[in-house]
Amino acid sequence: MNLAKIKEILKADLIVGSSLEREIKMICACDLMSDVLSCVQTRFSSLLLTNLIHPQTVRTAEIAEIPAICFMRGKEPQDLTMDLAKKNDIVLLSTSFSLYEASGRLYEEGLPGCSEYREAK
Amino acid sequence: MSPYVKAPKIRELGYELKVRDAMDRNLITVQPETPMSKVRGVLRSNRISGIPVIDKDKLVGVVCVEDLVNWLRAGADNCSVEEKMSKNVVTLYTDEPLIHAINKLEQYGFFHFPVLERENRVLAGTITREGIIRGLLKKLEIDYREEEIRHYRASHVFEDMIADKTSLIFQYYVVGQDFNRAGESASALKKTLKRLGTHPEIVRRAAIAVYEAEMNLVIFARSGEIIVKVDPNQIRIEVEDSGPGIPDIEKAMQPGYSTAPNWVRELGFGAGMGLNNIKKCVDEMNVTSTVGKGTRVEMYVATKKESVSYEVKGTG
Ligand SMILES: Nc1ncnc2c1ncn2[C@@H]1O[C@H](COP(=O)(O)OP(=O)(O)OP(=O)(O)O)[C@@H](O)[C@H]1O
Ligand SMILES: [Mg+2]
């Protein structure tokens, strides 16, 4: 599923990024950075759903090669977070749904979590 | 918008390139007093669809195929270009971003625009769709070549050096407690390893391991250092700090064990998974620590092609 469709499902706003064509194959919904680093197995194709809006979230995504992040409950990140995202070509979205609601909506549309995605391969 | 403007890479290049980079400098012009009967020959022999009309260096109009057709249809009477040319000419400046030219071509549906020097409004060239495409392709090729050369140079470093054994050493100094800069070393090392032509999966594993160790350094210590030694066959990473040390390393290695303070947890760290993640990412890991003195995490990642596994070890 591409980011444009995900943006639609989550009724999300685009905060940083120019292209929403990127294909997303799995979702990582999590507020623990070490979990993000250990759970995302396949590069370039996962979306991170998180409540954390500080720059370290983007840094973690950069290291884990996650191409897109969506923040929950309408949270908007600081400038530093946005700058880092721009520099690393990471798309930032913001939705008014909570982590649970957003996860549920995407799961219903058939997007798996990372451990399931691995099993399916 | 034309389809090629929608592609983000093209749009990016459209801002980077200037009109002058893509314009045709081969100036074919006519004067206002040139007879209309000559226009056809000029258009045809130069395979162009419009000609700028110049009066003493100044652009006064453009005569194009459409003007010629209209003139022929009206009986082709004897007259000068001045009487039949379009006088309201849309122009571009040499220093405008190329994206303006692309947008204008789209907006007006023309095939060409005269390009002027901004200072003196002297005609400098013409811009056409063909020229734009050529300019974009040339830029893409140059970018591609440069990246290839950089990559080639880096990945051949080991072969080009004359020695019995060659290693590269990268050092990063890390400031503790500074969360805004935390992770910069891991990020820098990741880019460096990529440039060296290291296998992407190896780069990723090394980057995750260094990032976790760097975060621990930033959270628990005041300062420290990361030393990376790259050999043809392996990468050795040492993350050393002068922090409080770890009293019980075995316990610290257990998933879920964490002494991270609350402010760190609010930032998404302190799950007690870091050291465990490192272990999964590297081929060998040694932690040594002295309470009150500091901690040293040593990691090895093999870089030989055969040893590349596409999954992080021990998960599932
Ligand atoms: N450089 C260090 N100096 C002092 N103590 C450390 C250091 N690195 C790790 N520790 C100790 O080991 C524990 C476990 O570390 P680990 O990286 O596995 O988890 P964490 O940092 O607490 O949480 P996470 O990495 O999931 O964000 C830490 O909570 C801390 O007590
Ligand atoms: Mg840690």
Side-chain angles (χ1 to χ4, degrees), chain B residues 80-148:
Chain B
S80 68
V81 162
E82 191 171 22
E83 290 166 60
K84 301 293 166 194
M85 70 186 185
S86 326
K87 288 182 181 120
N88 273 335
V89 185
V90 184
T91 59
L92 286 153
Y93 291 119
T94 51
D95 58 357
E96 279 184 82
L98 192 60
I99 197 87
H100 288 183
I102 296 174
N103 291 342
K104 272 195 175 164
L105 282 168
E106 212 53 49
Q107 184 186 344
Y108 292 93
F110 295 169
F111 293 100
H112 48 82
F113 287 107
V115 182
L116 308 180
E117 291 296 353
R118 194 184 285 276
E119 312 86 72
N120 49 20
R121 298 188 56 88
V122 166
L123 185 70
T126 49
I127 193 124
T128 60
R129 280 166 200 258
E130 213 189 338
I132 291 173
I133 291 170
R134 220 182 303 120
L136 288 171
L137 286 176
K138 206 166 111 196
K139 175 77 177 138
L140 277 172
E141 197 190 320
I142 292 170
D143 285 359
Y144 178 74
R145 280 250 185 83
E146 276 171 2
E147 184 53 36
E148 259 208 335

Side-chain angles (χ1 to χ4, degrees), chain A:
Chain A
M1 188 185 295
N2 68 13
L3 276 172
K5 183 84 204 297
I6 289 175
K7 179 174 174 283
E8 206 181 294
I9 295 170
L10 297 180
K11 301 191 177 91
D13 292 325
L14 178 65
I15 305 175
V16 170
S18 54
S19 165
L20 290 175
E21 274 148 45
R22 213 150 337 166
E23 222 16 59
I24 297 298
K25 297 203 177 113
M26 67 195 109
I27 303 292
C28 180
C30 170
D31 287 343
L32 291 167
M33 292 303 127
S34 284
D35 271 1
V36 175
L37 290 168
S38 73
C39 95
V40 182
Q41 307 277 322
T42 307
R43 307 183 300 147
F44 308 130
S45 54
S46 29
L47 167 72
L48 171 62
L49 305 179
T50 184
N51 286 295
L52 303 173
I53 52 170
H54 55 84
Q56 278 316 312
T57 310
V58 176
R59 191 60 92 191
T60 304
E62 181 209 344
I63 297 294
E65 291 172 340
I66 295 175
I69 304 171
C70 183
F71 301 119
M72 301 297 117
R73 293 194 182 279
K75 290 191 188 102
E76 294 224 357
Q78 314 147 243
D79 291 348
L80 208 60
T81 307
M82 295 198 266
D83 290 346
L84 204 56
K86 275 178 212 151
K87 217 188 276 165
N88 288 291
D89 196 21
I90 291 172
V91 176
L92 297 185
L93 300 168
S94 175
T95 175
S96 54
F97 291 127
S98 73
L99 189 55
Y100 177 70
E101 291 159 351
S103 305
R105 276 172 166 78
L106 294 177
Y107 200 83
E108 215 169 51
E109 293 284 336
L111 276 166
C114 353
S115 59
E116 288 173 322
Y117 180 78
R118 240 183 311 140
E119 279 159 25
K121 255 198 313 188

Side-chain angles (χ1 to χ4, degrees), chain B residues 64-288:
Chain B
C64 62
V65 175
E66 208 184 324
D67 301 320
L68 180 72
V69 170
N70 287 340
W71 171 72
L72 286 169
R73 201 186 278 149
D77 50 341
N78 224 340
C79 67
S80 68
V81 162
E82 191 171 22
E83 290 166 60
K84 301 293 166 194
M85 70 186 185
S86 326
K87 288 182 181 120
N88 273 335
V89 185
V90 184
T91 59
L92 286 153
Y93 291 119
T94 51
D95 58 357
E96 279 184 82
L98 192 60
I99 197 87
H100 288 183
I102 296 174
N103 291 342
K104 272 195 175 164
L105 282 168
E106 212 53 49
Q107 184 186 344
Y108 292 93
F110 295 169
F111 293 100
H112 48 82
F113 287 107
V115 182
L116 308 180
E117 291 296 353
R118 194 184 285 276
E119 312 86 72
N120 49 20
R121 298 188 56 88
V122 166
L123 185 70
T126 49
I127 193 124
T128 60
R129 280 166 200 258
E130 213 189 338
I132 291 173
I133 291 170
R134 220 182 303 120
L136 288 171
L137 286 176
K138 206 166 111 196
K139 175 77 177 138
L140 277 172
E141 197 190 320
I142 292 170
D143 285 359
Y144 178 74
R145 280 250 185 83
E146 276 171 2
E147 184 53 36
E148 259 208 335
I149 288 169
R150 192 158 58 199
H151 196 89
Y152 177 88
R153 247 192 236 138
S155 52
H156 284 72
V157 158
F158 290 113
E159 290 158 31
D160 294 346
M161 298 301 141
I162 304 165
D164 292 332
K165 185 167 182 279
T166 306
S167 318
L168 293 171
I169 294 186
F170 308 111
Q171 253 167 299
Y172 303 91
Y173 304 106
V174 185
V175 184
Q177 317 294 308
D178 181 354
F179 243 75
N180 281 337
R181 295 194 49 199
E184 277 182 8
S185 309
S187 168
L189 176 67
K190 189 176 169 195
K191 290 189 182 99
T192 305
L193 290 178
K194 258 192 202 160
R195 282 190 189 164
L196 271 176
T198 312
H199 190 285
E201 202 47 43
I202 299 288
V203 174
R204 180 175 143 85
R205 278 166 45 190
I208 291 178
V210 172
Y211 182 65
E212 289 283 14
E214 184 180 1
M215 291 316 296
N216 281 354
L217 195 169
V218 171
I219 293 168
F220 299 105
R222 297 225 159 263
S223 70
E225 197 179 359
I226 300 175
I227 302 168
V228 182
K229 182 162 169 261
V230 181
D231 292 344
N233 301 327
Q234 72 169 15
I235 302 170
R236 192 185 86 166
I237 305 157
E238 243 182 85
V239 181
E240 201 168 4
D241 67 55
S242 48
I246 306 174
D248 187 341
I249 293 174
E250 208 175 305
K251 210 161 150 194
M253 291 288 293
Q254 279 168 15
Y257 176 83
S258 175
T259 62
N262 266 332
W263 68 271
V264 168
R265 287 173 201 262
E266 275 158 27
L267 295 172
F269 293 87
M273 294 303 294
L275 292 172
N276 213 257
N277 272 353
I278 296 177
K279 204 168 153 194
K280 285 190 214 162
C281 286
V282 301
D283 294 302
E284 196 191 321
M285 169 191 190
N286 305 309
V287 184
T288 46

Side-chain angles (χ1 to χ4, degrees), chain B residues 10-24:
Chain B
I10 300 285
R11 213 168 37 199
E12 203 178 283
L13 290 178
Y15 283 103
E16 212 176 297
L17 289 172
K18 300 287 176 248
V19 167
R20 78 168 78 85
D21 300 322
M23 72 182 186
D24 192 348

Side-chain angles (χ1 to χ4, degrees), chain B residues 26-32 34 42-43 48-55 58-64 81 85-86 89 112-116 123-127:
Chain B
N26 209 352
L27 278 180
I28 292 142
T29 58
V30 288
Q31 275 82 49
T34 307
V42 178
L43 286 173
I48 49 179
S49 56
I51 319 164
V53 184
I54 296 291
D55 188 11
K58 286 276 172 289
L59 180 77
V60 292
V62 167
V63 59
C64 62
V81 162
M85 70 186 185
S86 326
V89 185
H112 48 82
F113 287 107
V115 182
L116 308 180
L123 185 70
T126 49
I127 193 124

